[in-house]
Amino acid sequence: MSGLSARKNIEDIYPLTPAQQGMLFHAMQAPDSGVYIEQLTAYLPADLDPGLLREAWDRIISRHPVLRTLVVADRGKQPLQLVRQRVTAPWRDEDWRGITEGEATKQLADLLREDRRAGFALDRAPLMRFCLIAWPGEAWRFVWTFHHLLLDGWSTARILEEVRAAYHGVERGSSPPAPFRAFVSWLGKQDGAAAARYWRSVFQGFTGASPLQPLWSDQTDPLESGSYRRHHLDLTPERVAALQAFARSARVTPNTVFQGAWACLLSRFSGDDDLVFGVTVSGRPADLPHAEDMVVMLINTLPQRGKQPDQTQVVDWLQTQHSTHTESRGKEDSDMTDVPRASRLAGDTGVLGGR
C-alpha cells in the first residue's frame, strides 16, 4: 500500500490504554516470546460452508474498529493505536483429509507452535489471522490467532458469538458497537495524581520483590530448565459448596478466599509475610455508559497487598483484603507501569514482592 493510500485508509487514532501500554512494553522487550499471542481453536462440523464463514468474519471485522487496529510505537514518543478503514485478514486453508487423525493432531501442534512463534508486526493491521483445516473424517478445525493487545476475554466471547450469528444470517441489532473513543475520553478525565497518592499509601513500608527461590535449588531455575510440572486439581461439588458457605459466613466473596489462599501459598514459598501479587480486573468502569458493550482490551492488573495473618485472625484478614480490593476497583484505570514509581520500587519487580 502506498504512503498516500495508507494515509487515506485511516479511520481513527487514539492512545493505548494503561493495560495495552504494559503489554506493548513486554512485547517489545521480548518480541519472540509469544507471550501475548492468543490462539483459539474450534472443532467445526462437516457441513460447514467455508465461504460463508469467511464472509461472516469479514462482516464482523468491518463492524468492529478494534479488529482493524495497529499500533505505532516510535521510540521516545507516545504509542498510538491507529484504526484502518479497510483491512484484508490473512486467511490460510489446509486440506489434511488424506492423512490419519493422529498425524493431523501432530501437524496441528506443529502449526500452532510455528504460528505463535511468527508473532505479529504491530504496525500492520490486522493483528490477527485465520487458518481453516479440512480435517480427517469430514470435519474441520479452525484457528483464530490474534494479539492480546486487541481483545480481552469478554470481548473475545462476544466476537465469536457475533461471527456465529453472522454465519447463520442472524442480525444482532443495527446499532453500532459502543465506541472505544468514549473510553479513551473517559480515561483522560481521571485524576492520575489521586491514583498515585492511593498507590503510595498501599505500598507504604513495602521495600522489594521476593523471588520464589525456595521452590528450587540455587543453581536451577525450573522455568529455564523445563523441570517444572503442572498439577491439575478438580474441586468436587462438596468442596465448592463448603467454600461458598465459608465465604458467606466470613462476609467475603469466594474470589477473596482464593486470593487469600494464593497469598498464603506465596508466603510459604517465598519466606515473606508481606506480599504483593497481581489481580486481574475487568477495567470496565461502572460510570461509563455502555462499557459492557465495548469490544476492546480493557482488562487491567492491579496489585493486591496483604500481610499474613495469625491463625486466629483469618476471617478478619480476609475481610480486610476484601475491603482493600473493593477500594482498589476505583483505581482500575491505573497505569501499572507507574505503580513501581508510586511505590518507590524498582521498575522490574514484577507483581510478586515482599519485605
Short mmCIF file of all heavy atoms in Angstrom, two decimals, residues 242-261 304 313-326:
data_model
loop_
_atom_site.label_atom_id
_atom_site.label_comp_id
_atom_site.label_asym_id
_atom_site.label_seq_id
_atom_site.Cartn_x
_atom_site.Cartn_y
_atom_site.Cartn_z
N ALA A 242 -18.67 -26.07 50.30
CA ALA A 242 -18.04 -25.68 51.55
C ALA A 242 -17.34 -24.33 51.42
O ALA A 242 -17.39 -23.49 52.33
CB ALA A 242 -17.04 -26.76 51.98
N LEU A 243 -16.68 -24.11 50.28
CA LEU A 243 -16.01 -22.83 50.03
C LEU A 243 -17.02 -21.69 50.02
O LEU A 243 -16.82 -20.64 50.64
CB LEU A 243 -15.26 -22.89 48.70
CG LEU A 243 -14.72 -21.57 48.15
CD1 LEU A 243 -13.64 -21.03 49.06
CD2 LEU A 243 -14.20 -21.74 46.73
N GLN A 244 -18.14 -21.89 49.32
CA GLN A 244 -19.16 -20.86 49.25
C GLN A 244 -19.77 -20.58 50.62
O GLN A 244 -20.03 -19.42 50.98
CB GLN A 244 -20.24 -21.26 48.25
CG GLN A 244 -19.75 -21.31 46.82
CD GLN A 244 -20.76 -21.90 45.86
OE1 GLN A 244 -21.61 -22.72 46.25
NE2 GLN A 244 -20.70 -21.49 44.59
N ALA A 245 -19.98 -21.64 51.40
CA ALA A 245 -20.54 -21.46 52.74
C ALA A 245 -19.57 -20.68 53.63
O ALA A 245 -19.99 -19.80 54.40
CB ALA A 245 -20.87 -22.82 53.35
N PHE A 246 -18.28 -21.00 53.54
CA PHE A 246 -17.29 -20.28 54.34
C PHE A 246 -17.24 -18.81 53.93
O PHE A 246 -17.17 -17.91 54.79
CB PHE A 246 -15.91 -20.91 54.17
CG PHE A 246 -14.81 -20.12 54.81
CD1 PHE A 246 -14.65 -20.11 56.18
CD2 PHE A 246 -13.94 -19.37 54.03
CE1 PHE A 246 -13.64 -19.36 56.78
CE2 PHE A 246 -12.93 -18.62 54.61
CZ PHE A 246 -12.77 -18.61 56.00
N ALA A 247 -17.27 -18.54 52.61
CA ALA A 247 -17.22 -17.15 52.15
C ALA A 247 -18.43 -16.37 52.67
O ALA A 247 -18.29 -15.22 53.10
CB ALA A 247 -17.17 -17.12 50.62
N ARG A 248 -19.60 -16.99 52.65
CA ARG A 248 -20.81 -16.31 53.16
C ARG A 248 -20.67 -16.03 54.64
O ARG A 248 -21.02 -14.94 55.12
CB ARG A 248 -22.05 -17.16 52.88
CG ARG A 248 -22.51 -17.16 51.44
CD ARG A 248 -23.92 -17.73 51.32
NE ARG A 248 -23.96 -19.13 51.77
CZ ARG A 248 -23.78 -20.17 50.96
NH1 ARG A 248 -23.53 -19.97 49.67
NH2 ARG A 248 -23.84 -21.41 51.43
N SER A 249 -20.18 -17.00 55.39
CA SER A 249 -20.05 -16.80 56.84
C SER A 249 -19.03 -15.72 57.17
O SER A 249 -19.16 -15.03 58.18
CB SER A 249 -19.67 -18.12 57.52
OG SER A 249 -18.36 -18.53 57.15
N ALA A 250 -18.01 -15.59 56.31
CA ALA A 250 -16.97 -14.57 56.54
C ALA A 250 -17.34 -13.23 55.93
O ALA A 250 -16.62 -12.25 56.09
CB ALA A 250 -15.64 -15.05 55.94
N ARG A 251 -18.47 -13.19 55.21
CA ARG A 251 -18.96 -11.99 54.54
C ARG A 251 -17.92 -11.46 53.53
O ARG A 251 -17.64 -10.27 53.45
CB ARG A 251 -19.32 -10.90 55.55
CG ARG A 251 -20.45 -11.31 56.50
CD ARG A 251 -20.99 -10.13 57.29
NE ARG A 251 -19.94 -9.51 58.11
CZ ARG A 251 -19.54 -9.97 59.28
NH1 ARG A 251 -20.10 -11.05 59.80
NH2 ARG A 251 -18.61 -9.33 59.97
N VAL A 252 -17.38 -12.38 52.74
CA VAL A 252 -16.48 -12.04 51.64
C VAL A 252 -16.91 -12.86 50.42
O VAL A 252 -17.77 -13.73 50.53
CB VAL A 252 -15.00 -12.32 51.98
CG1 VAL A 252 -14.55 -11.50 53.18
CG2 VAL A 252 -14.78 -13.82 52.25
N THR A 253 -16.28 -12.60 49.30
CA THR A 253 -16.58 -13.36 48.09
C THR A 253 -15.66 -14.58 48.00
O THR A 253 -14.56 -14.59 48.57
CB THR A 253 -16.37 -12.50 46.83
OG1 THR A 253 -14.99 -12.13 46.74
CG2 THR A 253 -17.23 -11.24 46.89
N PRO A 254 -16.09 -15.63 47.27
CA PRO A 254 -15.17 -16.76 47.03
C PRO A 254 -13.86 -16.31 46.38
O PRO A 254 -12.81 -16.89 46.65
CB PRO A 254 -15.98 -17.68 46.10
CG PRO A 254 -17.41 -17.39 46.45
CD PRO A 254 -17.44 -15.90 46.73
N ASN A 255 -13.92 -15.28 45.55
CA ASN A 255 -12.71 -14.76 44.92
C ASN A 255 -11.72 -14.28 45.98
O ASN A 255 -10.49 -14.50 45.86
CB ASN A 255 -13.06 -13.64 43.96
CG ASN A 255 -11.85 -13.14 43.20
OD1 ASN A 255 -11.07 -13.92 42.66
ND2 ASN A 255 -11.67 -11.83 43.15
N THR A 256 -12.23 -13.63 47.02
CA THR A 256 -11.35 -13.16 48.10
C THR A 256 -10.70 -14.34 48.81
O THR A 256 -9.52 -14.29 49.18
CB THR A 256 -12.14 -12.31 49.10
OG1 THR A 256 -12.69 -11.17 48.43
CG2 THR A 256 -11.26 -11.84 50.25
N VAL A 257 -11.45 -15.42 49.00
CA VAL A 257 -10.89 -16.61 49.66
C VAL A 257 -9.75 -17.19 48.81
O VAL A 257 -8.69 -17.55 49.32
CB VAL A 257 -11.98 -17.67 49.89
CG1 VAL A 257 -11.38 -18.92 50.52
CG2 VAL A 257 -13.08 -17.10 50.79
N PHE A 258 -9.97 -17.26 47.49
CA PHE A 258 -8.92 -17.77 46.60
C PHE A 258 -7.69 -16.87 46.65
O PHE A 258 -6.55 -17.34 46.67
CB PHE A 258 -9.44 -17.88 45.17
CG PHE A 258 -10.16 -19.16 44.89
CD1 PHE A 258 -11.53 -19.16 44.64
CD2 PHE A 258 -9.48 -20.36 44.86
CE1 PHE A 258 -12.20 -20.35 44.38
CE2 PHE A 258 -10.14 -21.55 44.60
CZ PHE A 258 -11.51 -21.54 44.37
N GLN A 259 -7.90 -15.55 46.66
CA GLN A 259 -6.76 -14.63 46.74
C GLN A 259 -6.01 -14.81 48.06
O GLN A 259 -4.78 -14.75 48.10
CB GLN A 259 -7.26 -13.19 46.61
CG GLN A 259 -7.72 -12.82 45.22
CD GLN A 259 -8.23 -11.39 45.15
OE1 GLN A 259 -7.98 -10.58 46.03
NE2 GLN A 259 -8.95 -11.08 44.08
N GLY A 260 -6.75 -15.02 49.13
CA GLY A 260 -6.10 -15.25 50.41
C GLY A 260 -5.28 -16.52 50.40
O GLY A 260 -4.16 -16.57 50.92
N ALA A 261 -5.83 -17.59 49.80
CA ALA A 261 -5.09 -18.85 49.71
C ALA A 261 -3.83 -18.67 48.86
O ALA A 261 -2.76 -19.21 49.19
CB ALA A 261 -5.99 -19.93 49.10
N GLN A 304 -2.31 -6.37 44.61
CA GLN A 304 -3.00 -6.65 45.87
C GLN A 304 -1.95 -6.93 46.93
O GLN A 304 -1.08 -7.78 46.74
CB GLN A 304 -3.93 -7.85 45.72
CG GLN A 304 -4.69 -8.23 46.97
CD GLN A 304 -5.93 -7.38 47.19
OE1 GLN A 304 -6.26 -6.54 46.36
NE2 GLN A 304 -6.61 -7.59 48.29
N GLN A 313 -6.88 -15.05 63.17
CA GLN A 313 -7.42 -13.81 62.60
C GLN A 313 -7.73 -13.95 61.10
O GLN A 313 -7.81 -12.97 60.39
CB GLN A 313 -6.42 -12.67 62.79
CG GLN A 313 -6.11 -12.37 64.25
CD GLN A 313 -5.00 -11.34 64.40
OE1 GLN A 313 -4.09 -11.27 63.57
NE2 GLN A 313 -5.10 -10.53 65.44
N VAL A 314 -7.91 -15.16 60.63
CA VAL A 314 -8.08 -15.37 59.19
C VAL A 314 -9.31 -14.64 58.65
O VAL A 314 -9.24 -13.97 57.62
CB VAL A 314 -8.17 -16.88 58.89
CG1 VAL A 314 -8.61 -17.11 57.44
CG2 VAL A 314 -6.85 -17.56 59.15
N VAL A 315 -10.46 -14.76 59.34
CA VAL A 315 -11.67 -14.13 58.83
C VAL A 315 -11.52 -12.62 58.79
O VAL A 315 -11.88 -11.97 57.80
CB VAL A 315 -12.89 -14.55 59.68
CG1 VAL A 315 -14.11 -13.72 59.30
CG2 VAL A 315 -13.18 -16.03 59.49
N ASP A 316 -10.98 -12.03 59.87
CA ASP A 316 -10.78 -10.58 59.89
C ASP A 316 -9.83 -10.15 58.77
O ASP A 316 -10.04 -9.13 58.11
CB ASP A 316 -10.21 -10.14 61.23
CG ASP A 316 -11.20 -10.29 62.37
OD1 ASP A 316 -12.41 -10.38 62.06
OD2 ASP A 316 -10.78 -10.31 63.53
N TRP A 317 -8.80 -10.96 58.53
CA TRP A 317 -7.83 -10.65 57.48
C TRP A 317 -8.47 -10.70 56.10
O TRP A 317 -8.26 -9.83 55.26
CB TRP A 317 -6.66 -11.62 57.57
CG TRP A 317 -5.63 -11.46 56.49
CD1 TRP A 317 -4.75 -10.44 56.34
CD2 TRP A 317 -5.39 -12.37 55.41
NE1 TRP A 317 -3.96 -10.65 55.23
CE2 TRP A 317 -4.33 -11.83 54.65
CE3 TRP A 317 -5.95 -13.59 55.03
CZ2 TRP A 317 -3.83 -12.47 53.51
CZ3 TRP A 317 -5.45 -14.22 53.91
CH2 TRP A 317 -4.40 -13.67 53.16
N LEU A 318 -9.30 -11.72 55.88
CA LEU A 318 -9.99 -11.83 54.60
C LEU A 318 -10.94 -10.66 54.38
O LEU A 318 -11.06 -10.14 53.26
CB LEU A 318 -10.77 -13.15 54.51
CG LEU A 318 -9.93 -14.41 54.31
CD1 LEU A 318 -10.82 -15.64 54.39
CD2 LEU A 318 -9.19 -14.38 52.96
N GLN A 319 -11.61 -10.21 55.43
CA GLN A 319 -12.50 -9.06 55.29
C GLN A 319 -11.71 -7.81 54.95
O GLN A 319 -12.17 -6.97 54.14
CB GLN A 319 -13.30 -8.87 56.57
CG GLN A 319 -14.34 -9.96 56.81
CD GLN A 319 -15.04 -9.83 58.15
OE1 GLN A 319 -14.61 -9.08 59.03
NE2 GLN A 319 -16.12 -10.59 58.33
N THR A 320 -10.52 -7.66 55.52
CA THR A 320 -9.66 -6.52 55.19
C THR A 320 -9.21 -6.59 53.74
O THR A 320 -9.21 -5.59 53.01
CB THR A 320 -8.44 -6.48 56.11
OG1 THR A 320 -8.88 -6.34 57.47
CG2 THR A 320 -7.52 -5.32 55.76
N GLN A 321 -8.83 -7.80 53.30
CA GLN A 321 -8.42 -7.99 51.91
C GLN A 321 -9.57 -7.66 50.96
O GLN A 321 -9.37 -7.03 49.91
CB GLN A 321 -7.98 -9.44 51.68
CG GLN A 321 -6.68 -9.81 52.38
CD GLN A 321 -5.49 -9.07 51.79
OE1 GLN A 321 -5.04 -8.07 52.34
NE2 GLN A 321 -5.00 -9.55 50.67
N HIS A 322 -10.77 -8.08 51.34
CA HIS A 322 -11.94 -7.80 50.51
C HIS A 322 -12.17 -6.30 50.40
O HIS A 322 -12.43 -5.78 49.29
CB HIS A 322 -13.16 -8.50 51.10
CG HIS A 322 -14.42 -8.25 50.33
ND1 HIS A 322 -14.69 -8.85 49.12
CD2 HIS A 322 -15.50 -7.46 50.60
CE1 HIS A 322 -15.87 -8.44 48.67
NE2 HIS A 322 -16.38 -7.60 49.57
N SER A 323 -12.08 -5.59 51.52
CA SER A 323 -12.29 -4.14 51.51
C SER A 323 -11.23 -3.44 50.68
O SER A 323 -11.52 -2.51 49.91
CB SER A 323 -12.27 -3.60 52.94
OG SER A 323 -13.32 -4.16 53.70
N THR A 324 -9.98 -3.90 50.79
CA THR A 324 -8.89 -3.30 50.03
C THR A 324 -9.10 -3.50 48.53
O THR A 324 -8.90 -2.57 47.73
CB THR A 324 -7.54 -3.91 50.44
OG1 THR A 324 -7.34 -3.68 51.84
CG2 THR A 324 -6.40 -3.31 49.65
N HIS A 325 -9.49 -4.71 48.15
CA HIS A 325 -9.71 -4.99 46.73
C HIS A 325 -10.88 -4.17 46.19
O HIS A 325 -10.81 -3.63 45.08
CB HIS A 325 -9.98 -6.48 46.54
CG HIS A 325 -10.18 -6.87 45.11
ND1 HIS A 325 -9.23 -6.64 44.14
CD2 HIS A 325 -11.23 -7.47 44.48
CE1 HIS A 325 -9.67 -7.08 42.96
NE2 HIS A 325 -10.87 -7.59 43.15
N THR A 326 -11.94 -4.04 46.99
CA THR A 326 -13.09 -3.24 46.56
C THR A 326 -12.69 -1.79 46.36
O THR A 326 -13.10 -1.13 45.39
CB THR A 326 -14.23 -3.33 47.60
OG1 THR A 326 -14.62 -4.70 47.75
CG2 THR A 326 -15.42 -2.50 47.18
#
